[in-house]
Amino acid sequence: ILNVEQSPQSLHVQEGDSTNFTCSFPSSNFYALHWYRWETAKSPEALFVMTLNGDEKKKGRISATLNTKEGYSYLYIKGSQPEDSATYLCAYVNTGNQFYFGTGTSLTVIP
Amino acid sequence: EAGVAQSPRYKIIEKRQSVAFWCNPISGHATLYWYQQILGQGPKLLIQFQNNGVVDDSQLPKDRFSAERLKGVDSTLKIQPAKLEDSAVYLCASSLGTGWRDTQYFGPGTRLTVL
């Protein structure tokens, strides 16, 4: 079983603050990295699929970067809003088609 | 466009009983996935179907879990008999293509509690 780690495990931020969290994964045999947002009582929602070293993707106030050589991806949220409160999951895929989720970062945005 | 549908949303059973979950993927999606998410852990892939064939079931506990994808559309996941450690959320997802770079669309999940 491969090690996909997310940090921090949880965080609380004030509305309007910007925040970021990390997904770490094995740097060898990289194929793709997925980011999902999972709000309580809802379906996980795909945010980004990242495939190339140096990739940067953006969706509204949320953006992500990818460094496959050192094995990490950052997810940034600019100007957090209460509706951003959710668990953010990353999922790593290697060239052997092995797919592993991290344990997630739980974000709470305090109004 | 309708999303991925799952039922039931919640299920409580006693250990050694059987249970089945149903998933209807997005129309036209070739690939269907079942995940198990135990509290405090990330989702774990149980089985992946491409159309009605199994692509990967390496993490499916085959002594008690079984799954099928009928006519390459709907899928059912069964546990027989259930154990306490099977308590988890079971997520179904589908993707249009067949590669691991394709976006996966998830259903709301079935929360199973085994007493």
Side-chain angles (χ1 to χ4, degrees):
Chain A
I1 294 181
L2 300 173
N3 208 16
V4 180
E5 296 184 350
Q6 290 189 247
S7 62
Q9 192 173 13
S10 66
L11 74 163
H12 294 69
V13 301
Q14 289 291 135
E15 182 176 353
D17 287 351
S18 295
T19 187
N20 65 84
F21 16 96
T22 307
C23 174
S24 302
F25 49 85
S27 57
S28 58
N29 304 317
F30 176 87
Y31 186 65
L33 187 87
H34 298 244
W35 278 103
Y36 294 89
R37 173 171 61 199
W38 194 357
E39 295 180 65
T40 303
K42 294 187 177 180
S43 307
E45 172 198 354
L47 292 174
F48 307 113
V49 180
M50 309 183 81
T51 58
L52 296 175
N53 185 45
D55 255 359
E56 291 190 29
K57 298 216 170 178
K58 188 174 181 182
K59 185 177 182 178
R61 294 179 291 98
I62 303 176
S63 60
T65 61
L66 179 68
N67 184 324
T68 61
K69 294 187 178 181
E70 296 182 42
Y72 64 84
S73 175
Y74 293 138
L75 190 80
Y76 301 90
I77 303 178
K78 184 178 178 182
S80 302
Q81 299 297 310
E83 58 265 29
D84 297 329
S85 297
T87 295
Y88 291 81
L89 289 163
C90 68
Y92 159 82
V93 190
N94 66 14
T95 52
N97 286 332
Q98 293 176 305
F99 186 89
Y100 293 98
F101 273 97
T103 53
T105 293
S106 174
L107 173 68
T108 303
V109 181
I110 303 164
Chain B
E1 179 182 77
V4 176
Q6 288 188 249
S7 68
R9 293 292 309 275
Y10 305 92
K11 189 75 177 178
I12 300 174
I13 61 172
E14 304 212 337
K15 61 184 179 184
R16 291 187 288 273
Q17 286 187 319
S18 300
V19 65
F21 313 127
W22 172 83
C23 173
N24 180 235
I26 293 173
S27 177
H29 278 198
T31 309
L32 185 147
Y33 315 79
W34 282 103
Y35 294 90
Q36 177 194 58
Q37 197 219 7
I38 293 171
L39 189 65
Q41 300 179 18
K44 179 180 84 171
L45 179 68
L46 292 176
I47 189 166
Q48 177 190 1
F49 292 96
Q50 184 174 314
N51 297 310
N52 61 352
V54 175
V55 174
D56 181 1
D57 63 357
S58 57
Q59 297 192 86
L60 187 75
K62 298 180 187 62
D63 57 332
R64 297 183 302 106
F65 286 63
S66 64
E68 59 180 2
R69 189 176 183 195
L70 306 171
K71 300 180 181 178
V73 182
D74 292 8
S75 179
T76 56
L77 176 70
K78 296 179 182 176
I79 307 175
Q80 181 179 359
K83 294 185 176 182
L84 296 176
E85 60 261 34
D86 298 332
S87 294
V89 175
Y90 291 85
L91 292 163
C92 178
S94 69
S95 63
L96 182 63
T98 58
W100 281 108
R101 289 178 173 170
D102 291 303
T103 297
Q104 294 185 30
Y105 298 86
F106 282 82
T110 297
R111 182 176 295 278
L112 174 68
T113 302
V114 182
L115 303 175

